[in-house]
Amino acid sequence: MNKRDQLAVENFVSTGMDLETLYSCFQDFPREEIAEIYNSYQGNKQGTGETNNSMSINCS
């Protein structure tokens, strides 16, 4: 996955999408890389003390 694709996934993660929704939206990307971006973002967010306001978005 190139840098532009990674940023696109990260932008969706920042909106509060859960991991399963990301898998549905980005079916062409490897699940492992999506999970890595998701977990990295969530880890950074918790490190800054932000609260988790989760939201699910249907991309279909």
Side-chain angles (χ1 to χ4, degrees), residues 5-54:
D5 293 340
Q6 291 173 349
L7 289 174
V9 172
E10 189 171 304
N11 284 332
F12 276 72
V13 173
S14 71
T15 66
M17 273 194 187
D18 62 25
L19 194 52
E20 289 302 317
T21 305
L22 290 169
Y23 291 152
S24 297
C25 291
F26 297 101
Q27 295 177 3
D28 294 339
F29 299 155
R31 285 180 165 233
E32 298 81 23
E33 290 185 40
I34 293 171
E36 183 179 322
I37 294 167
Y38 177 84
N39 292 327
S40 175
Y41 184 86
Q42 294 299 328
N44 288 339
K45 188 170 85 170
Q46 288 178 352
T48 62
E50 290 183 31
T51 58
N52 185 6
N53 294 328
S54 199

